[in-house]
Amino acid sequence: MNNKINQSMSRKLVFVFIYTSVITLVAHFITYVNINYTINKFDSVYTSNTNLMQLSESLKKVQEHMYQYLKLKNSSDLEAYYISIQEFQGMLRNLNEKPSDHTSLMMESHIRKMSTDYLSKTNEAVQAKRGRNIKKYNDCYNSANQIYGYINAYISRLNSAQFQYNSYNYLKLRSSLKYLELASTIILLSVIFFNGVMLVILSRRITHPLILLSNQANEIAKGNLEIDLMHVETGDEIEILAKAFNKMIGSIKDYIQRLRERMEIESQMKEKELLMENHLKDAQLKYLQAQINPHFLFNTLNAGVQLAMMEGAERTSEFIENMAEFFRYNIARINQETTLEEEVQLVDYYIYIINVRFSGEVSYMKEIDDKLLQTKVPSMILQPIVENVFQYGIRDIEWQGKIKLTIAEKEEKIWISVKDNGKGMSKERIKQVLSGETSKEEESRSSNGIGLHNVVNRLCLFYGIEEVLEISSEGMNKGTEVALKIPLNQSVEEGVEARV
């Protein structure tokens, strides 16, 4: 078992990845070292020529500053002369000072020796000038000027010799760089080829058993269960998958056999079930016939309205008319979409009915943004909330009950708030309502059978969101506010897609 675990597919993939990565990194490292070495060689090819040109420029500064001082005897020129001498002497230290048979080294030795003589003569000329010895500083200046010419001639000859030698080295480096590029390309192509071979071998070891599994799965999908079982010995997860596949085929065969036996038993019971179903349909038909026809109810209420008007009972007529509209909306709009305007109108009917029923106990106020009234919503979402507010919040209180309905835009959502000044709610009660623990209680006590929990569930399904309800209360006997939050610009089609 441990041997198979060690040969798992993940370990094989990790091994191939590490192996190919190491080879690639080694090839890149070798190429990087060689390229950097060549580039450094390129940088140093003409360094000697640059140094000789800088030496010539420094010598020229010494000559110019000495001449200016001898001509004008200015302290600034004297200072510049000594600074240029220090710079020139610093460059001379890089030249060879020992005798040598090599032409370039011998020339460097001569330049260094002549430069020492030259600096000695320039110092004598400067000292003679400071001592007002005109003849001596003239002689020293002429000698220094003559040595200056010799030094420049030697520097020029040495620079030419060095340039020829450096040019030869430059051509050799360019040639070696071309060979290096070719070698790097060959190495890179070899690594790519080797990695490709490794990946092809590994992929075939992985995909070949999977192809066999796929072919057998297609045969099973066609309904052919009489296939030969696979025998895979790869020592990895594919072997486990093949064994599980073979076991699944056996399980399917057993299940089909048991299913056939069960279908035979069920077919024997089918006639009895059909007979019982016919009896049930007869019972349902009788139940439907016993229900009140909604059209009959509407026609009856309308007849009551007309009779009240004929008798001059305007308040009774208005009450019956509101009752008819209320029941018409309840039955006609149930499980359908509507607008906020129609929902508000239904709340108006309900408030009127309970004020007639309870002798005007409720003071009803509205604060509504008219541009939101055409928003599509599920039916029966406001009236159940207002009914719960009346039933649980302000019914049986000893002071004037007030209900305020507010519909406004807030935080890119439509906020529908129903606020009362009634009994209030504790934090524990609010938590129970929000968690749905009071849904059964609502079903038993709500007069129209649609509780707050039902409203929240339908809004969540309609808009495809989870948080639509907020409840807040400052405490007992301080009123409660129930707020619904629905999307502002979501169309009916988007709500349907969200519910799907």
Side-chain angles (χ1 to χ4, degrees):
M1 183 65 183
N2 291 332
N3 186 31
K4 291 186 177 181
I5 293 175
N6 291 333
Q7 295 178 358
S8 66
M9 191 184 304
S10 61
R11 287 181 178 270
K12 291 178 181 178
L13 293 173
V14 170
F15 172 78
V16 172
F17 174 77
I18 293 175
Y19 192 77
T20 55
S21 298
V22 168
I23 294 176
T24 305
L25 288 174
V26 169
H28 277 289
F29 179 76
I30 294 173
T31 305
Y32 174 80
V33 170
N34 289 328
I35 289 175
N36 276 332
Y37 176 78
T38 305
I39 290 173
N40 292 332
K41 284 289 186 182
F42 269 111
D43 293 338
S44 62
V45 165
Y46 293 103
T47 302
S48 58
N49 295 103
T50 304
N51 292 337
L52 288 173
M53 291 177 66
Q54 292 176 351
L55 180 65
S56 179
E57 288 294 323
S58 182
L59 177 62
K60 184 178 180 181
K61 289 181 181 180
V62 173
Q63 181 70 11
E64 289 177 352
H65 290 314
M66 178 193 68
Y67 174 77
Q68 290 294 329
Y69 177 74
L70 295 178
K71 182 179 179 181
L72 303 174
K73 200 179 180 180
N74 192 336
S75 59
S76 61
D77 291 328
L78 180 62
E79 183 180 358
Y81 164 74
Y82 284 120
I83 293 174
S84 61
I85 285 178
Q86 292 178 358
E87 181 182 352
F88 182 67
Q89 288 176 338
M91 291 183 178
L92 286 176
R93 294 188 187 97
N94 296 326
L95 299 179
N96 178 52
E97 63 179 345
K98 296 179 182 180
S100 176
D101 295 332
H102 193 276
T103 304
S104 297
L105 295 177
M106 182 178 63
M107 293 180 70
E108 287 182 9
S109 178
H110 290 166
I111 291 172
R112 186 161 183 172
K113 183 177 180 182
M114 286 189 295
S115 297
T116 302
D117 296 338
Y118 168 74
L119 293 176
S120 177
K121 289 297 181 181
T122 58
N123 284 329
E124 289 180 7
V126 170
Q127 294 300 326
K129 179 68 176 179
R130 297 180 69 179
R132 301 179 184 275
N133 189 343
I134 298 174
K135 183 177 180 305
K136 184 176 180 180
Y137 86 72
N138 279 329
D139 293 338
C140 291
Y141 172 77
N142 291 331
S143 297
N145 196 34
Q146 187 178 13
I147 297 172
Y148 171 78
Y150 293 150
I151 295 173
N152 273 332
Y154 265 76
I155 291 176
S156 179
R157 287 171 57 192
L158 179 59
N159 197 18
S160 297
Q162 290 284 357
F163 184 80
Q164 292 178 0
Y165 176 76
N166 291 336
S167 298
Y168 173 73
N169 288 336
Y170 177 79
L171 294 176
K172 286 179 64 177
L173 286 172
R174 285 195 62 180
S175 177
S176 64
L177 183 60
K178 290 181 180 179
Y179 285 116
L180 180 60
E181 290 176 352
L182 179 61
S184 299
T185 303
I186 292 173
I187 292 173
L188 183 60
L189 292 176
S190 300
V191 170
I192 293 174
F193 175 77
F194 179 78
N195 290 344
V197 171
M198 291 288 293
L199 291 174
V200 168
I201 294 173
L202 180 63
S203 63
R204 290 191 64 181
R205 286 177 61 87
I206 294 174
T207 57
H208 181 66
L210 292 176
I211 291 173
L212 295 178
L213 278 173
S214 176
N215 293 334
Q216 290 201 349
N218 287 331
E219 290 296 323
I220 293 175
K222 294 176 183 178
N224 181 19
L225 295 177
E226 303 301 325
I227 57 176
D228 296 331
L229 299 180
M230 288 184 58
H231 298 283
V232 178
E233 295 181 358
T234 57
D236 53 24
E237 289 85 350
I238 296 178
E239 181 178 345
I240 299 174
L241 180 61
K243 291 181 178 179
F245 186 82
N246 293 336
K247 187 175 180 180
M248 180 190 71
I249 294 174
S251 299
I252 291 175
K253 291 180 179 179
D254 294 338
Y255 175 76
I256 291 175
Q257 182 62 32
R258 292 196 302 269
L259 186 62
R260 287 174 180 172
E261 296 174 356
R262 186 184 304 169
M263 289 178 65
E264 292 176 359
I265 297 174
E266 289 178 353
S267 63
Q268 297 174 1
M269 301 176 62
K270 192 67 175 180
E271 295 181 0
K272 295 181 180 179
E273 291 178 358
L274 289 174
L275 183 61
M276 293 175 64
E277 187 175 351
N278 289 332
H279 288 302
L280 179 61
K281 286 183 178 179
D282 291 337
Q284 289 177 341
L285 180 61
K286 293 178 181 179
Y287 173 76
L288 292 173
Q289 290 174 347
Q291 289 184 326
I292 297 175
N293 190 334
H295 294 287
F296 175 76
L297 176 62
F298 300 150
N299 293 334
T300 302
L301 289 174
N302 287 329
V305 171
Q306 295 175 5
L307 181 61
M309 292 179 63
M310 291 175 62
E311 293 179 352
E314 294 183 359
R315 293 189 61 189
T316 304
S317 172
E318 185 180 359
F319 175 75
I320 297 175
E321 185 177 359
N322 277 275
M323 286 284 293
E325 290 296 327
F326 182 81
F327 284 115
R328 180 194 64 79
Y329 186 91
N330 268 272
I331 296 176
R333 285 292 186 179
I334 193 69
N335 295 326
Q336 293 185 10
E337 294 166 357
T338 183
T339 63
L340 280 177
E341 184 177 15
E342 292 180 332
E343 284 290 294
V344 171
Q345 191 173 21
L346 181 64
V347 172
D348 294 343
Y349 294 147
Y350 176 74
I351 293 295
Y352 176 84
I353 291 170
I354 62 174
N355 272 332
V356 171
R357 181 182 173 188
F358 296 98
S359 302
E361 287 187 359
V362 179
S363 173
Y364 175 50
M365 294 170 288
K366 294 187 291 185
E367 186 176 328
I368 299 174
D369 188 345
D370 293 338
K371 68 181 181 180
L372 302 176
L373 289 177
Q374 299 306 313
T375 302
K376 292 288 186 180
V377 294
S379 64
M380 299 297 292
I381 62 169
L382 292 188
Q383 187 272 331
I385 295 177
V386 174
E387 184 171 355
N388 281 339
V389 167
F390 176 75
Q391 292 287 351
Y392 300 109
I394 62 177
R395 187 175 179 179
D396 299 329
I397 62 175
E398 297 179 357
W399 57 90
Q400 173 70 37
K402 295 180 181 179
I403 295 178
K404 182 179 180 182
L405 173 63
T406 303
I407 301 178
E409 179 182 342
K410 183 179 179 182
E411 298 177 357
E412 298 183 356
K413 293 183 178 180
I414 298 177
W415 282 66
I416 305 172
S417 168
V418 180
K419 189 174 183 180
D420 67 77
N421 66 335
K423 300 176 182 178
M425 297 177 69
S426 64
K427 292 182 179 180
E428 292 76 12
R429 183 62 175 175
I430 292 175
K431 186 176 180 181
Q432 289 177 352
V433 173
L434 291 176
S435 63
E437 296 178 8
T438 60
S439 58
K440 292 184 178 180
E441 180 182 345
E442 288 177 353
E443 291 175 2
S444 63
R445 296 184 59 181
S446 186
S447 62
N448 64 357
I450 301 177
L452 183 62
H453 190 65
N454 178 283
V455 171
V456 172
N457 285 341
R458 288 189 294 120
L459 285 174
C460 291
L461 292 173
F462 186 84
Y463 291 105
I465 56 178
E466 294 185 0
E467 296 183 2
V468 296
L469 177 66
E470 281 192 7
I471 301 177
S472 60
S473 177
E474 296 182 359
M476 302 306 295
N477 296 327
K478 293 185 178 181
T480 304
E481 181 178 8
V482 179
L484 298 178
K485 302 177 294 181
I486 62 175
L488 177 60
N489 295 320
Q490 186 168 357
S491 64
V492 175
E493 289 79 4
E494 292 174 331
V496 172
E497 291 177 0
R499 296 195 298 275
V500 173

